[in-house]
Every structure is written in C-alpha cells, then in structure tokens.
Amino acid sequence: MITLKEIARESGVNTTTVSKALRGAGDLNPETARRIREKAAELGYRVRERKNGAKRIVGVICPELMGSCYARIASVLGASLREHGMEMLLAVSDFDMEREERLLESFTERNLAGIVCITENDLRRALERVPASVPTVVVAANYSLEDRDMICVDEHAGMRRIVEHLTELGHRDIAFAGTGYGEKRLEYLTRELSVRGIHAPHGGVSLSGVRHSRCGYEAASRLLEKLPLPTAIVAEYDDVALGVLRRLGEAGLRVPEDISVTGFDNADFCAYLPVALTSVDCHVGELCGIAVDTLLKKLEDPNYRIVQSIYVKPTLVVRDSTGKVSKQ
C-alpha cells in the first residue's frame, strides 16, 4: 500500500502538505497540490475509504448544547469537517459517562470514518475497546492517554492568568462560583492563590447543583449572605458569570467598582454585555482545527500511528468587568 510518507518523499514535500493536497485543502498552492496529486496517481495511491458513505461521516460526542462553550465547539467542528468534504453525526451525552461509553460502542459498530469525543469523564477503559483502525480524538478531558490523540485547554494556565490579573489589581478576597464539574478549575484557582499567600477562595467554595446562569445566580446569592463580601468572583465559565452579574445587579452592587467578575471560555457574548466580561479565551477554532487535521491525517494514511497529547494555551481577554479594588 502506498503511504503519504512515500508520496511526500517522491514529491519533495512533507506528509502534511501531501495530506492537504489529497483532501483538497484550500490553503495550498494550486500548482503544488496538482503536482502532488499527479505523483500520487502515478504511484497508484487511491483513497478507498471515501467510496463508502459511512467513511465520510465523523461521530461527535458532546456533553451538551445548552452551554455556549460546547455548542460553539460542536458548531466549529461541524464547519471544519464540511470544509474537508466530511459530515458530522452529533450525539449529546448530558455528561453521562455510561451514555458516552455506549455511544463510543455504537459509533464503532456503525463503521464511521472516525470519532471525536468531547468529555469531562474518564473514558480510558471504554476507549481501549475502540479498534485502533477507528481514528479517535478526545477533546477537553484532563488526563493522559497512551494510544489516543488528546486535545485540551490548559485550564491551569488560564486560571493562573486570572489570578495574576486580579492580584495585580489588588484583589485578595477572591471567591469562586461554579458547579461540581468545576473541581479542576477550582483546584487550579486554589493552587494559584496559595502561591501568592492566599490560602483559600474567599468565603470557601460556592458551588451549585445546577448549571449555566442559574448556577451563577445561586452561587452569588450565597456569597452575598456572608460578610465581608469578596472583592472579586471567578466564575467557572461564562454562562455562570451571567448569573453572577445578574444577582450582583439586583443587590445594587456595581461591576467592577464594587466587585470584579471574570469568566472562562470567552463566549461570543462576552464582549457585548452591558459590562463586557473579562474572560479566558480557549481558542476554540484552533482546538477544533487540530482535532480535524489529526483525524484526516489518519484517514488518509492508515499507517500514520503517531499519538499526540496537545494542550492549547489560553489567553486572558481583559474587558470592563475587572478593576482595581475600591478603597474601603
């Protein structure tokens, strides 16, 4: 079987360039792409998988579509796949680990081209049952994988940047508002506060059994019951921050004059709120692009066996919702 590596050697380019040429990527010089395709045909290379309709479909497992972050990831993934002549079969797991395991099994049985599993659960055991012949990329999980490609956001780096920003503004009474799923982000927040001599988030931990804006509203309500109030609230993610902002406004508190608020994920709405939200940008476009490129490499070349663990470095986008600590 002719491989991409052999075509690359004969064409005098790298395997990534060959992969782009064979799948019709738009960011390649047309003359270079034509030359590579001709060389591939001369060597007898054929992309047999695309004769089968199922081999044009990628199964995507997503925890939810209610929150802005996961909905955005699913949308960007779908658009990126379509750019390369693929389609997405989307299934929502509602964060249910057993359902995610069943979906992995179902997608494998359907003989799809590949699988993208967006999860916050530990699916290592279930992933071992997915044949190596089915390219599978895991997105978002914060654990290492030996035989599957894994792409996630470096949440620790994101939380570090939030703490650096807030402490530079003079904040030391910093609270956390989130859900039970936010344990890792809370852990990273606590660790970064400790490094700076702040031994715990202000007022302990304010977690809610619900998600999204209602979570932030309830968490902020509990924080308002305790005195003194924090000078800043770190929300687990942007939808939570919306609820926090609403509750603070009802209490007559001004953001950021009386209290600062940060989000995480940099949803599209952050820049357009009445008080634009400071948030961590997780670079969803780049993350999804890496996931699709990884899948396509393995679809084009079944002998491509390199497994990667990629951590996307987030950046902090500072807006109006954070400011210096007001003088008491």
Side-chain angles (χ1 to χ4, degrees):
M1 177 183 289
I2 300 298
T3 67
L4 296 194
K5 187 174 182 181
E6 291 171 297
I7 299 172
R9 184 175 62 249
E10 293 293 325
S11 304
V13 296
N14 58 39
T15 55
T16 299
T17 302
V18 172
S19 176
K20 287 183 176 182
L22 295 179
R23 68 178 186 253
D27 59 346
L28 199 61
N29 180 284
E31 177 59 27
T32 300
R34 182 193 61 77
R35 179 170 56 84
I36 292 170
R37 287 195 294 269
E38 288 180 353
K39 178 58 68 174
E42 178 185 322
L43 294 171
Y45 180 83
R46 297 290 185 274
V47 186
R48 296 183 178 87
E49 291 83 358
R50 295 201 175 180
K51 294 180 181 179
N52 183 337
K55 288 298 185 179
R56 298 178 63 85
I57 301 174
V58 173
V60 176
I61 300 170
C62 188
E64 64 166 358
L65 295 178
M66 296 291 289
S68 57
C69 179
Y70 288 120
R72 187 178 182 189
I73 290 175
S75 296
V76 175
L77 268 176
S80 184
L81 286 167
R82 287 192 296 274
E83 285 179 6
H84 297 290
M86 310 290 286
E87 291 295 336
M88 174 176 69
L89 176 62
L90 179 65
V92 178
S93 70
D94 197 28
F95 297 92
D96 186 323
M97 182 171 174
E98 291 185 0
R99 175 164 171 74
E100 290 175 352
E101 291 174 342
R102 290 195 301 271
L103 286 168
L104 281 172
E105 182 178 357
S106 174
F107 282 173
T108 300
E109 292 174 350
R110 296 180 72 159
N111 196 32
L112 302 180
I115 299 171
V116 177
C117 183
I118 310 164
T119 182
E120 296 185 15
N121 293 313
D122 188 344
L123 297 178
R124 280 175 285 193
R125 186 168 298 177
L127 287 164
E128 290 175 356
R129 298 193 291 271
V130 178
S133 59
V134 182
T136 304
V137 178
V138 180
V139 176
N142 278 285
Y143 48 80
S144 60
L145 294 166
E146 293 184 1
D147 56 358
R148 295 293 177 184
D149 295 287
M150 186 274 293
I151 306 165
C152 73
V153 175
D154 188 343
E155 296 183 342
H156 193 172
M159 199 57 74
R160 180 183 302 117
R161 190 64 194 94
I162 287 176
V163 173
E164 288 173 348
H165 174 61
L166 290 176
T167 53
E168 285 169 2
L169 293 172
H171 294 278
R172 293 184 66 83
D173 296 323
I174 300 170
F176 178 82
T179 70
Y181 289 104
E183 290 178 353
K184 273 294 181 184
R185 290 183 181 181
L186 172 59
E187 175 188 331
Y188 297 144
L189 172 64
T190 303
R191 192 180 305 178
E192 289 304 314
L193 290 175
S194 179
V195 167
R196 291 159 180 79
I198 305 171
H199 298 296
H202 176 95
V205 179
S206 187
L207 298 178
S208 173
V210 297
R211 294 181 63 81
H212 312 310
S213 300
R214 182 181 169 191
C215 163
Y217 188 92
E218 292 182 358
S221 295
R222 284 193 291 275
L223 288 169
L224 290 173
E225 294 172 356
K226 304 173 183 178
L227 293 175
L229 295 177
T231 62
I233 298 176
V234 175
E236 179 190 341
Y237 53 98
D238 297 326
D239 298 68
V240 172
L242 286 180
V244 170
L245 292 170
R246 172 69 182 184
R247 184 66 185 92
L248 294 178
E250 289 180 353
L253 294 169
R254 300 167 300 163
V255 175
E257 292 85 355
D258 299 319
I259 188 166
S260 290
V261 178
T262 68
F264 208 111
D265 297 327
N266 196 31
D268 291 340
F269 60 72
C270 290
Y272 303 101
L273 296 172
V275 179
L277 182 65
T278 293
S279 184
V280 173
D281 190 340
C282 296
H283 305 297
V284 167
E286 289 79 358
L287 185 150
C288 292
I290 293 169
V292 172
D293 282 346
T294 300
L295 277 177
L296 290 173
K297 283 179 183 177
K298 294 187 173 181
L299 285 173
E300 298 287 359
D301 184 0
N303 295 319
Y304 185 82
R305 299 298 186 189
I306 295 175
V307 175
Q308 303 178 84
S309 292
I310 300 173
Y311 287 82
V312 176
K313 283 287 185 182
T315 53
L316 184 68
V317 181
V318 178
R319 298 191 180 95
D320 301 335
S321 67
T322 50
K324 291 183 178 180
V325 175
S326 60
K327 294 182 179 179
Q328 302 296 327

